[in-house]
């Protein structure tokens, strides 16, 4: 009895003495807020600010909001987001992609704000490097605000980190948003390094910041927040990028999009990073999925890695397909796939007769022009001429293809997404110079791009004169050069041409598009959750 | 057996030699199973002469001359028995269990109490009721049996567990699951590993007086499970088994081949790509060869049918119970297996239980409950049915040579659903091992004073493995992927309990309990996902061989609780009862300074029937009024929320990875306990000589300082924060009535009936009394509602112009413009309904005729709305995938039911409005017919008793969802997905005792 009592007393004491620890909470497998004030944490917060780029660039989300619903692309046969192309009433404040971009970018902005705000708290950091990191964060913050302001108009503007629950929000005047963006980029230009480094490739550089600032001025110049010398400023920064750095146009347009080491080339100013390591690739570059026709069910064909996985989201408009002078301009052929070679040998009925295809034989040809029926009938393969284009069968854009994926099902591609490249800088410089009244400069910038695009020996034929130059020509040229590169919706809204060109060139969207569609709807959740609702955070008109 | 008979015969011989006058009566008292009853009292009627049986059930009593000739035998839980002792001196008596009040002793938190002394709202379920149902989980035993408890079967996949809420939901974030206490140990993990056949009783503690003793986690009610323990006496061996066949209660009605063909044509007509009247030419352009052939032959492939099978469900249990005066034991072994009606799904559970009690001496008793459970669950994330519902019925699954066609049509997304169930193509297996133990030592320190030490270590380890082969819909010819996950949990509870019980001057009775308790929990998790497994037969067993690592992860979560508790039960003349409880609880999850909170409760009971003035009311046997009020708490938020965490991000610079961290949760250093105050009034009654008995309860629970994840506008950088704001209220009534309708020698008919209604509402949110539309939380409404547009029909051709003002066309879903502003905007959404039922109830009728017994159990749940996701997910009307077989709009069929198919629309505008239904149902949950062989026959087969039975589970469901809208079973948690259909189970079973 005594012994037992002793044992009980012992255990009771043991337990009581260990109780204090029991209720103490200690984070082990994750880190808390304090971490961001450390050197490693600060670096990690900068890295985290970059990660939101992947939410927009080379995703179906970002592409749906910028590629179709324009003059260049209309909807293919598949996908849940056709209403974004069609501008039906389904495109409303609950549209998931719109909400997702909004949510992710504001998280990114808060992360950038915490980098900017905490920089002084981090001890033992080389001040030059610290400034550089803050400049990176401010570059990214400008990038995020710039996309938001183009999509939504006046948006909420916060430049300080929030550490408390805030349920108020408001729509800052457009001018304030642009001012903040410009201030960030000016800071970035003053602190960032001019050279792209092979290590840490993909971080913001001075050249990238100047390119973006040129784009920002060009965009503000046609907005209600415009200021007198916006076009001059845009031209100035674009010219800085052209003249003050080692960037060069590659001689061959097709080489710009060569996967692998070719992606890192002299023309690339800044690229959103993806990698072949799934651990750090997250959902990957998915741009390869959306522009391809349904080749994989055609006679002699099956899906393979090289030809890609056809999601059939975006179909080029006939306007787009007619943009190039194909005898001089190499970019039609370099952008679109015209031949599919058999990868599923067998005997098929083609052109009304039985044809045996061996591996490597031509299985499908898209000549890009109409051919006489007799010519087609003579071929031992399928011929798809423009009159036979359907939302399932159309010329496939090749610049995003990703044959280095591990298998044909993998969606997460490893290519970098070339967000800023020198050819665009030339076209920004051209547009800005034109509006600033300097047509000679403008023409020379356009010609620089066009000469590169020419077939060998056709360079002179590609050149234009000041008489040819106007905003429609520049928009067409941007389409020819930058097709599919997530710029089009912004180009059209910037130039005020969205409604006009969509009505003219996009038959599915034409009947529905209205003036108000030049802005996207503010997400309903933002309005619902803001104290004061729609009064405090009004919806864009029309939605 | 026969030895007893001989003894009896010998004893009879003595009877005639006994002379009148003072004499000695002796005998043995046994229970219905023939086991000796220890401690039964024997009273010579009308005298103060008492004795009690010993461990062998033996007694002897001296009867003075010329006194009574009647002995009264009594024992808790058994009917009193009077025996005439005029003739004879030795009596062997078998007691009958009390049938009226199921048990007189009720398990309460940290102890037991006589039912008459109870002040809290507690319902019990006995082993008998549990054994009536061939069930696989403990929760199922509760459905429809106890008022105040809502049990919902959320999935029909084998091995899934129903969800349980007691008296409504009160919390948004801190959980609404009740606390399970098994053999005295509060569970950290789930109850799914407990084998229901091991259960002796389940007690459901509902009001604050009953649950305050578990203050920290009592807010959602407490379910106390007590497993069977050994008794001293002869060893009893039992074998209980059933085998049954289950089949699906129906299939989802999708289009057949010709319906699909016409549907596809219509989807093209909508866009002007198909002529009004079908032509062969137009068909040739629209359909591919195999489709044309099927149309011509009138051929349909019913993929759904090919994926379903009849399932076998079986359970076998061997139990050994027994013991000596010093040591008692209960051992059981069980195997449960459900094959599953969908291929690749299934559930097997093996359990082994060992319960031991040992008296070291007259002061010290020790014991243990040990459960070892091993279960294998297959296919918890495997669902081939949704693919089958979408599959083009015009395609064919097999080549002429019998091999599977991987792509039955040219549609690259729609691979053959039958490829999913090719052995090895999809492996999805959770293997779980649990060792749950409860050890105790009880010391009698002084008269009435005992000390008890409880220690309950609980280990769980679960390995989840998943393999997806190349020829599956997920991979579509890509490289195989594999995943393994490992979850391990260690939880222990340590409790010191002091109890003092005494009665002073036969007037004041005290039962005082003091407790110190700690509980500590540790969860670890590992995960690895790979791509390109080199050889498919490796499955997920060699992920190191794969060339690509898609992801790896691990995690540690710890929490702890410490509590001090005191309870006083006071009874005055057993008439007036008082219970005071106070508990101080500390939780690691809450903020420093707010970790501890005190939870008091008070309860009063009044045994009205013991009052003198009631003696004249003849029809009332027992009547008791109970009133209680108390506080309980809830803290079951995710740990670490007071600290604020960062989330990890991924990026890369060139080829080098760049993991980052960014703010994710706003730290809230003020988090404190969520508190519920519950008032309860209860009335227990027994009327008309135990023919009618039951209880009635009225309650109200106010919960405040809700641990609420408040969503924020993202412009502040954060999506949400957990705060203590807002309030909810639950009000309800419960009625349990049992009646003995007919009772005579051969025939007995009894009825158990219960009904329960609860009104759940949000009282306050962060902005005070204003709604949170973003979360669909509305003041005065239940915690979850369906908030959407209201479908009022289909736009008709005649309304073309009006439709155009809404950017819509005839044939599209028309929703109500609630505010009449001529636009459909988000402000036109309304509360369509809630998944909370108006009321639910169960009724069980039991009939006994000679050896036969028949049970019919009906369960109803009325007034809830349900969202049936397959009614919108399989109603895309896209003309690409197969569709529910519905009455869709065409220019010639101006229905208001469903919109027009459209090949250019992946899903219809406002398609979600097609998915809301009245979820009311009445189910015949169970019918069982049993036969108890007579003792004579059983003995011939060397058995003590033998019962055989047949049982049909869920043979009928009555619901408009089923009869009118082609659904299968409206029972579910908020959203029905239609992946594994509900089943009906027919079993044959046997209960044998040796």
């Amino acid at each position: 009895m005594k012994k037992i009592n002793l044992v009980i007393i012992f255990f009771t004491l043991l337990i009581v003495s260990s109780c204090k620890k029991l209720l103490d909470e200690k984070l082990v497998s994750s880190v808390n807020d304090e971490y961001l004030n450390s050197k490693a944490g600060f670096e990690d917060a900068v890295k985290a600010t970059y990660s939101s780029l992947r939410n927009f660039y080379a995703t179906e989300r970002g592409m749906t909001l910028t590629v179709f619903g324009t003059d260049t692309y209309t909807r293919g046969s598949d996908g849940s987001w056709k209403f974004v192309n069609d501008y039906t009433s389904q495109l409303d404040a609950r549209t998931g992609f719109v909400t997702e971009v909004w949510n992710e970018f504001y998280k990114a902005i808060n992360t950038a704000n915490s980098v900017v705000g905490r920089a002084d708290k981090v001890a033992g950091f080389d001040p030059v490097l610290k400034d550089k990191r803050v400049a990176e964060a401010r570059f990214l913050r400008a990038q995020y605000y710039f996309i938001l302001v183009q999509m939504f108009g006046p948006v909420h503007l916060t430049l300080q980190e929030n550490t408390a629950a805030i349920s108020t929000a408001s729509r800052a005047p457009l001018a304030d948003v642009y001012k903040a963006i410009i201030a960030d980029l000016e800071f970035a230009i003053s602190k960032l390094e001019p050279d792209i480094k092979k290590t840490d490739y993909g971080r913001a550089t001075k050249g990238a910041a100047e390119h973006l600032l040129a784009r920002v001025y060009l965009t503000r110049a046609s907005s209600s927040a415009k200021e007198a010398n916006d076009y001059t400023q845009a031209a100035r920064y674009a010219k800085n990028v052209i003249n003050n750095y080692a960037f060069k146009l590659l001689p061959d347009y097709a080489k710009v999009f060569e996967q692998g080491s070719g992606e890192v080339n002299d023309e690339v100013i800044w690229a959103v990073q993806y990698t072949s390591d799934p651990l750090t690739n997250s959902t990957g570059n998915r741009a390869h999925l959306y522009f391809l026709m349904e080749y994989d069910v055609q006679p002699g064909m099956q899906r393979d890695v090289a030809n890609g996985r056809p999601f059939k989201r975006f179909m080029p408009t006939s306007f787009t397909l007619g943009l190039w002078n194909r005898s001089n301009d190499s970019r039609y052929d370099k952008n679109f796939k015209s031949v599919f070679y058999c990868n599923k040998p067998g005997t098929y009925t083609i052109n009304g007769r039985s044809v045996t295809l061996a591996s490597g034989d031509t299985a499908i040809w898209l000549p890009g022009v109409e051919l006489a029926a007799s010519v087609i009938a003579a071929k031992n393969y399928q011929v798809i001429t423009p009159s036979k284009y359907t939302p399932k069968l159309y010329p496939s854009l090749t610049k995003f293809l990703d044959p280095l994926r591990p298998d044909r099902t993998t969606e997460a591609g490893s290519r970098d997404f070339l967000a800023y490249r020198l050819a665009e800088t030339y076209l920004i410089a051209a547009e800005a110079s034109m509006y600033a009244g300097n047509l000679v400069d403008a023409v020379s910038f356009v010609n620089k791009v066009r000469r590169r695009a020419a077939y060998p020996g056709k360079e002179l034929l590609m050149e234009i004169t000041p008489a040819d130059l106007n905003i429609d020509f520049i928009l067409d040229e941007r389409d020819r050069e930058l097709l599919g590169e997530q710029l089009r919706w912004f180009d059209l809204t910037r130039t005020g041409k969205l409604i006009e060109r969509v009505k003219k060139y996009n038959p599915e969207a034409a009947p529905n598009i209205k003036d108000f569609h030049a802005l996207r709807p503010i997400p309903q959740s933002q309005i619902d959750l803001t104290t004061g609702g729609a009064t405090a955070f009004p919806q864009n008109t029309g939605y | 057996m026969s030895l007893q008979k001989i003894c009896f015969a010998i004893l009879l011989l003595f009877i005639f030699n006994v002379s009148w006058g003072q004499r000695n009566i002796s005998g043995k008292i046994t229970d219905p199973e023939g086991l000796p009853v220890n401690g039964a009292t024997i009273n010579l009627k009308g005298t103060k002469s008492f004795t009690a049986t010993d461990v062998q059930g033996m007694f002897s009593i001296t009867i003075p001359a010329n006194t009574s000739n009647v002995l009264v035998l009594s024992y808790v839980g058994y009917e009193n028995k009077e025996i005439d002792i005029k003739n004879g001196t030795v009596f062997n008596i078998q007691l009958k269990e009390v049938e009226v009040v199921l048990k007189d002793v009720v398990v309460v938190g940290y102890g037991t109490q006589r039912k008459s002394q109870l002040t809290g709202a507690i319902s019990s379920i006995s082993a008998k009721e549990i054994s009536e149902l061939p069930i696989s989980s403990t929760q199922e035993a509760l459905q429809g049996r106890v008022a105040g408890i809502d049990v919902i079967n959320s999935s029909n996949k084998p091995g899934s567990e129903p969800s349980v809420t007691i008296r409504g939901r009160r919390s948004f974030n801190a959980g609404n699951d009740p606390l399970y206490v098994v053999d005295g140990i509060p569970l950290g993990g789930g109850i799914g590993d407990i084998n229901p056949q091991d259960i002796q009783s389940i007690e459901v503690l509902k009001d604050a007086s009953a649950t305050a003793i578990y203050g920290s986690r009592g807010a959602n009610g407490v379910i106390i499970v007590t497993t069977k323990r050994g008794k001293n006496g002869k060893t009893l061996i039992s074998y209980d088994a059933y085998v049954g066949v289950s089949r699906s209660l129906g299939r989802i009605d999708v289009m057949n081949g010709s319906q699909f063909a016409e549907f596809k044509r219509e989807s093209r007509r909508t866009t002007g790509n198909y002529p009004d009247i079908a032509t062969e030419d137009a068909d040739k352009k629209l359909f591919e060869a195999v489709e044309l052939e099927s149309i011509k032959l009138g051929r349909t492939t019913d993929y759904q049918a090919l994926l379903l099978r009849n399932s076998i469900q079986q359970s076998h249990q061997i139990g050994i119970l027994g013991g000596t005066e010093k040591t008692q034991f209960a051992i059981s072994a069980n195997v449960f297996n459900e094959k599953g009606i969908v291929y690749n799904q299934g559930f097997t559970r093996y359990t082994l239980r060992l319960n031991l009690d040992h008296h070291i001496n007259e002061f010290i008793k020790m014991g243990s409950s040990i459960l070892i459970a091993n279960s294998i669950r297959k296919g918890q994330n495997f669902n081939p049915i949704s693919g089958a519902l979408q599959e083009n019925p015009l395609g064919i699954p097999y080549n002429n040579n019998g091999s599977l066609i991987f792509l039955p049509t040219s549609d690259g997304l729609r691979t053959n659903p039958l490829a999913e169930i090719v052995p090895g193509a999809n492996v999805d297996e959770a293997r779980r091992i649990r060792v749950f133990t409860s050890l105790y030592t009880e010391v009698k320190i002084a008269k009435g004073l005992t000390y008890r030490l409880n220690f309950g270590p609980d280990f769980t380890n679960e390995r989840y493995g998943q393999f997806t082969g190349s020829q599956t819909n997920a991979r579509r010819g890509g490289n195989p992927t594999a995943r393994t996950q490992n979850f391990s949990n260690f939880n222990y509870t340590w409790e010191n309990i002091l109890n003092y019980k005494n009665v002073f001057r036969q007037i004041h009775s005290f039962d005082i309990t003091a407790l110190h308790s700690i509980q500590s929990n540790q969860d670890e998790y590992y995960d690895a996902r790979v791509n390109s497994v080199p050889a498919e037969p490796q499955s997920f067993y060699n992920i190191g061989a794969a060339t690509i690592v898609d992801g790896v992860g691990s995690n540690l979560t710890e929490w702890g609780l410490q509590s001090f508790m005191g309870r006083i039960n006071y009874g005055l003349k057993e008439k007036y009862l008082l219970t005071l409880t106070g508990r101080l609880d500390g939780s690691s999850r809450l903020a420093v300074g707010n970790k501890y909170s005190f939870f008091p409760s008070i309860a009063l009971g009044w045994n009205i029937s013991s009052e003198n003035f009631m003696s004249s009311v003849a029809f009332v046997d027992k009547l008791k009024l109970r009133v209680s009020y108390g506080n309980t708490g809830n803290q079951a938020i995710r740990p670490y929320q007071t600290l604020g965490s960062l989330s990890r991000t991924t990026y890369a610079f060139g080829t080098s990875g760049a993991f980052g961290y960014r703010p994710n949760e706003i730290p809230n250093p003020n988090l404190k306990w969520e508190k519920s105050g519950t008032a309860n009034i209860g009335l227990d009654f027994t009327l008309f000589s135990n023919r009618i008995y039951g209880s009635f309860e009225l309650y109200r629970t106010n919960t405040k300082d809700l641990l609420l994840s408040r969503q924020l506008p993202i412009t502040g950088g954060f999506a949400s924060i957990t705060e203590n704001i807002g309030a909810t209220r639950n009000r309800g009534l419960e009625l349990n009535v049992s009646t003995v309708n007919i009772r005579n020698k051969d025939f007995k008919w009894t009825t158990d009936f219960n009904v329960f209604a609860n009104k759940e509402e949000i009282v306050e949110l962060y902005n005070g009394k204003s709604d949170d539309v973003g979360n669909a939380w509305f003041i005065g409404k239940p915690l979850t509602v369906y908030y959407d547009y209201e479908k009022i029909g289909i736009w008709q051709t005649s309304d073309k112009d009006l439709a155009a003002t809404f950017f819509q066309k005839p044939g599209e879903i028309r929703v109500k413009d609630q505010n009449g502003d001529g636009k459909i905007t988000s402000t036109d959404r309304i509360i369509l309904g809630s998944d909370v039922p108006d009321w639910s109830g169960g009724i069980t009728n039991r009939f006994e005729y000679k050896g036969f017994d028949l049970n019919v159990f009906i369960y109803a749940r009325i007034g809830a709305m349900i969202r049936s996701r397959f009614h919108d997910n399989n109603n895309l009307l896209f003309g690409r995938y197969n569709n529910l077989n519905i009455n869709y709009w065409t220019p010639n069929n101006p229905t208001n039911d469903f919109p027009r198919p459209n090949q250019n629309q992946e899903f219809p505008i406002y398609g979600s409005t097609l998915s809301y239904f009245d979820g009311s149902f009445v189910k015949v949950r169970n019918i069982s017919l049993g036969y108890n062989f007579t003792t004579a026959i059983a003995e011939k087969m060397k058995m003590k008793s033998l019962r055989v039975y047949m049982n049909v589970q869920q043979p009928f469901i009555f619901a408009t969802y089923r009869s009118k809208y082609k659904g299968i079973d409206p029972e579910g948690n908020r959203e029905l997905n239609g992946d594994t259909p509900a089943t009906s189970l027919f079993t044959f079973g046997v209960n044998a005792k040796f």
Side-chain angles (χ1 to χ4, degrees), chain A residues 8 11 19 22-23 25 29 31-32 44 52 78-79 90 103 162-163 201 273 278 297 309 407 409 524 526, chain B residues 410 475-476 478-479 494 548 556 562 595 640 644 646 651-654 662 666 715-716 718 826 880 906-907:
Chain A
I8 289 162
F11 275 117
C19 281
L22 183 81
L23 299 190
E25 251 190 340
S29 53
V31 286
N32 70 11
D44 279 358
S52 300
D78 290 7
Q90 221 178 328
N103 289 354
N162 278 343
T163 48
Y201 180 76
Q273 297 295 295
V297 299
R309 192 172 161 185
D407 63 51
T409 303
Q524 192 62 41
Q526 175 67 37
Chain B
S410 68
R475 301 305 301 151
R476 293 190 205 110
N479 296 323
W494 186 290
I548 301 170
L556 168 72
Q562 171 163 241
K595 285 189 188 293
Y640 311 124
L646 304 178
Y651 200 67
F653 294 119
R662 69 177 181 189
I666 316 176
T715 41
F718 296 94
S826 53
R880 175 175 174 182
E906 196 128 333
F907 45 81

Side-chain angles (χ1 to χ4, degrees), chain B residues 612-654:
Chain B
N612 290 336
F613 63 80
M614 286 299 289
S615 56
S616 57
V617 187
F619 70 92
V620 175
D621 305 328
K622 274 178 192 159
L623 191 65
K624 185 169 71 173
L625 181 69
R626 291 177 279 106
V627 183
S628 74
Y629 182 80
N631 278 320
T632 47
N634 200 346
Q635 47 85 49
I637 46 168
R638 276 179 301 115
Y640 311 124
Q641 293 203 26
T642 56
L643 301 174
S645 71
L646 304 178
S647 66
R648 207 185 70 162
T649 61
T650 51
Y651 200 67
F653 294 119

